Amino acid sequence: MPGIVKSEVVKNIAISEGWWLDVSKSITPSTRKLLENYSGIAPDQVNSHVEETRLQCFKLFPNPYFGKFDFLGISINRHPRYKEILERVFSDEVLLDFDCGLGQNIRQLVNDGVVIKNIYGLNFDERHTILGWDLFRDQRTLSETFILGDVRDRLHRLSALAGEYQLIYVAGFFGSYLMVYQLHIARYLIERLRPRKGCWIFGLQAANLHSGDYPVPHGGPMVYRHNIESWIEFWKEVGLLTGTRWRVEAVLEEPVLDGRTHKLMVPNTRRMVFTIIMEQGFGDPLEETT
């Protein structure tokens, strides 16, 4: 009961602040197509099904991520190297979706023909996985796809298939922490990759034209937001700490905002889309650098 009361209070705040959005305006064509074709939900039931999922999510996690339907956002297929990513996974390379939420990107991969055994999603809270199964109606087929992290230590929990991933997708995770924690995150992700040249860490994150510590919208702790220059330097430091070498590909894009979100956004905020390519792994023979 206390959780339900809290969620109702927060919902009223969300409505007043403009981040409780209308379901009919919040489902993108690609997400609607996925729910209809992959999950088998009738077109006239999609809105009510998604709204019911949001209400269930919000009772457990009353925050803007669910209030604004961000959990529906499919992003992996908009990555500029998505075609190459698919080709690699079709060739039996293994991909991990790190902090995958309700797993919408996992479902997009499956819908695009990827074999289930080649993709995994990691969550920090089992309830996200269960809510994802409810949203996409696929617990029977994806029962072994999701890895549960250890909530007691958010950075020591990727034991399953450690060292077996060639591709790790990270959407938004780095930009949710200060620099010192980002370094820890990078080190532990690298330990989960096959330590060989050609492995990728790719994804997107909130960024800023001027790198530094910033407050996040709707309250919360300070976080470090990179620009391209600081992101390149960050991976140089990661390389020194791990005995690896990386090439950084990154672009900054204007964030897609409505007027209400824009009022809360830190000036000069951008979205960074990146691919971090391992050029020297700790399992590779040493190479001369110039």
Side-chain angles (χ1 to χ4, degrees), residues 4-285:
I4 295 174
V5 172
K6 178 183 177 182
S7 68
E8 286 300 316
V9 170
V10 178
K11 178 181 174 182
N12 290 334
I13 294 172
I15 293 171
S16 66
E17 293 187 354
W19 51 269
W20 186 267
L21 302 186
D22 183 346
V23 64
S24 65
K25 301 177 182 178
S26 302
I27 304 175
T28 65
S30 60
T31 301
R32 184 175 294 277
K33 180 179 179 182
L34 188 67
L35 289 167
E36 293 176 6
N37 296 344
Y38 170 81
S39 302
I41 299 170
D44 62 349
Q45 296 178 9
V46 169
N47 285 7
S48 60
H49 177 67
V50 169
E51 180 62 37
E52 177 60 28
T53 299
R54 175 175 59 172
L55 292 173
Q56 293 302 317
C57 292
F58 205 76
K59 290 176 183 177
L60 299 171
F61 310 103
N63 59 57
Y65 180 76
F66 294 106
K68 298 192 299 177
F69 291 104
D70 288 345
F71 64 91
L72 296 176
I74 300 169
S75 55
I76 193 168
N77 59 343
R78 299 200 305 272
H79 192 278
R81 301 187 74 163
Y82 185 60
K83 182 178 179 181
E84 187 175 351
I85 292 160
L86 286 178
E87 290 172 351
R88 292 181 64 166
V89 185
F90 288 155
S91 299
D92 278 341
E93 294 194 19
V94 182
L95 181 149
L96 174 69
D97 185 358
F98 184 79
D99 188 26
C100 65
L102 269 61
Q104 64 273 20
N105 289 305
I106 291 286
R107 275 69 178 202
Q108 184 64 53
L109 288 164
V110 175
N111 196 55
D112 285 340
V114 171
V115 179
I116 293 173
K117 68 180 180 66
N118 291 339
I119 49 177
Y120 290 86
L122 182 133
N123 267 322
F124 306 139
D125 191 319
E126 187 177 23
R127 292 174 294 179
H128 287 145
T129 298
I130 294 170
L131 289 164
W133 283 329
D134 291 343
L135 174 62
F136 291 102
R137 297 179 174 176
D138 60 0
Q139 181 174 0
R140 182 173 298 178
T141 55
L142 296 189
S143 60
E144 303 297 325
T145 299
F146 296 96
I147 303 164
L148 178 62
D150 184 354
V151 297
R152 294 169 298 179
D153 187 342
R154 294 183 62 121
L155 296 177
H156 293 77
R157 61 193 184 299
L158 294 176
S159 58
L161 290 182
E164 292 300 318
Y165 305 107
Q166 290 93 351
L167 302 160
I168 298 181
Y169 183 62
V170 187
F173 196 80
F174 280 103
S176 300
Y177 293 90
L178 290 169
M179 174 73 82
V180 62
Y181 297 111
Q182 293 182 19
L183 288 168
H184 286 297
I185 293 162
R187 292 179 66 177
Y188 283 95
L189 289 178
I190 289 169
E191 289 179 2
R192 272 63 208 177
L193 285 169
R194 282 190 179 177
R196 293 293 186 269
K197 180 178 180 180
C199 290
W200 289 5
I201 297 171
F202 69 102
L204 54 87
Q205 64 185 357
N208 198 285
L209 293 178
H210 308 290
S211 60
D213 294 339
Y214 288 97
V216 297
H218 310 294
M222 299 288 285
V223 297
Y224 190 89
R225 295 284 163 83
H226 287 278
N227 58 18
I228 290 179
E229 292 75 19
S230 71
W231 192 229
I232 291 171
E233 290 303 312
F234 173 83
W235 284 96
K236 287 181 180 178
E237 184 172 358
V238 170
L240 292 174
L241 290 170
T242 59
T244 57
R245 190 170 72 247
W246 302 84
R247 183 173 85 252
V248 176
E249 298 178 356
V251 295
L252 296 182
E253 300 176 348
E254 291 282 351
V256 179
L257 305 171
D258 58 31
R260 293 162 297 191
T261 304
H262 187 269
K263 293 178 182 177
L264 299 169
M265 191 65 66
V266 173
N268 299 308
T269 291
R270 297 292 186 272
R271 180 172 65 178
M272 180 186 291
V273 181
F274 61 85
T275 307
I276 315 299
I277 301 168
M278 183 181 284
E279 293 195 322
Q280 179 75 48
F282 44 82
D284 289 324

